[in-house]
Amino acid sequence: MSLPLQDEQDLASVTALAATAVDPGGVLRMKLVPHDRIAQAESSGLGAAPSWHVFCIDNGIAFTPDLGVLGDQRLRPDLRAARVLGDGLAWAPAEFYEQSGALSALCTRGRLRETVRDLATLGVSATVGCEVEFVLTAADGSALGERPWNCYGVTAALDREEFLLGLLDDFRAARLEVEQCHAEYGDSQYEISFAPADPLAAADATVLARIVIGRAARRAGLAASFSPVPFAGGSGNGAHVHVSLDRDGVPLLSGGHGPHGLTAEGGAAIGGIVAGLSDVIGVLAGSVLSGGRLLPDHWSGAFPCWGLENREAAVRLCAVAAGNANIEVKCVDPATNPYLAVATVLGLIADGLRREAPLPAEVTTHPADAGHPTLPADQSTALDALQDSALARRILGPDLLSALLAVRRHEVAVFAGQEPSAVADRLRFSWSA
């Protein structure tokens, strides 16, 4: 048993391994494995009931005809992606396997890996960069009530200098490569941007980042919320996904003859995303709180359109000084499962490439000024579209789609009619670590 790229001293310091999985509702689940049992957990797995796939944010279980009280699966940590976090703790993402040894069709990490392979059959590879936004609160979950907030401001960062510098040290120790960190628009809100990586590593980094941030916040006597709407009426947290594409090392989003240097395939990729967003917004922003963020004038990508550096568009084409470019999908929020979010975006791209989707007209102004419709912000409407979508079924597979719909429909039933402030208070830390 070995944890990759860790020296023997680090390995000897590990008391336990945190093996995590993310359920379809975006909640991080974990089992702790003592040091001496890590190798066995990797080879044989840990018992996990199939109901893990329909656990809900209120601790309910959204049983389906196929997921009930019977059966068992094995949760296997992937030690190739493990990290030593310090203070006796290591971490690894885990995957669900059937008792037969086959990868479970309900494994979201496995679904992302299959989506990457599917894209590769088209001769295209993707690099993904994820952004993590969070709001710091008091340990009891109340707002910090700091002096007037200036977004992107020096004061907002230096008031939390000790926390932020310690957090960056923690990221470096965990081998998470940070590109930038800053105070965001909302009160006590911060954003971390991680370096681009292969899609699986990028999704893993999002999960690990929440754990690292949660531990750092606790040490500082604080808490960190990854809710789409931590406080009703306040700024929402996003989980934007950046994607660059290439074929045999040649970029598809620059160097071409289309608008802003797009190649024909780059245009088809954007066309695929824009055309499919209304079908899959129930994956990317499908929680009971997501609609409170996915609104015009929130820079949340509420409009299914694209534009160069257009921050109201769901798909922002980001120009890069080096001549390459990437797509930023802005409508994603942190209540999604990061593996499913990346898999869904890549699945839309693959669909666009396969059918040579036309590039829609670019939106060069505020989409509302152009009369552009918005994505469905009502949870039930978004879930109805998801359920009816043959495209979503192809991307996620029928088993995962069924589990996701069951979990989100449960949210609709439980929280129907409740005041937004009460729901935000109840779920402030549902997606935290």
Side-chain angles (χ1 to χ4, degrees), residues 386-410:
L386 183 64
Q387 181 171 314
D388 294 341
S389 173
L391 175 60
R393 188 169 296 272
R394 287 199 304 271
I395 292 173
L396 299 180
D399 297 315
L400 258 177
L401 180 59
S402 175
L404 175 60
L405 286 167
V407 167
R408 296 305 195 194
R409 299 279 192 201
H410 177 92

Side-chain angles (χ1 to χ4, degrees), residues 12 92 122 171 208 235 381 402 429:
L122 300 172
F171 284 140
L208 178 54
S235 295
T381 302
S402 175
F429 300 106

Side-chain angles (χ1 to χ4, degrees), residues 57-59 415 418 421-430:
I57 51 178
D58 67 335
N59 288 327
F415 295 101
Q418 295 191 27
S421 59
V423 180
D425 290 348
R426 169 65 177 83
L427 302 180
R428 186 163 298 136
F429 300 106
S430 293

Side-chain angles (χ1 to χ4, degrees), residues 180-196:
Q180 63 175 351
C181 168
H182 61 262
E184 251 293 345
Y185 187 83
D187 289 352
S188 303
Q189 185 182 44
Y190 296 89
E191 178 183 302
I192 312 289
S193 298
F194 293 95

Side-chain angles (χ1 to χ4, degrees), residues 137-142 144 217-218 221-223 429:
T137 75
D140 65 0
S142 60
L144 287 176
R218 286 177 175 84
L222 302 167
F429 300 106

Side-chain angles (χ1 to χ4, degrees), residues 173-229:
R175 293 184 288 118
L176 284 174
E177 187 178 352
V178 174
E179 288 201 327
Q180 63 175 351
C181 168
H182 61 262
E184 251 293 345
Y185 187 83
D187 289 352
S188 303
Q189 185 182 44
Y190 296 89
E191 178 183 302
I192 312 289
S193 298
F194 293 95
D198 74 79
L200 196 64
D204 283 343
T206 300
V207 176
L208 178 54
R210 293 194 195 183
I211 294 171
V212 173
I213 292 167
R215 296 181 85 213
R218 286 177 175 84
R219 287 200 306 269
L222 302 167
S225 172
F226 298 90
S227 168
V229 184

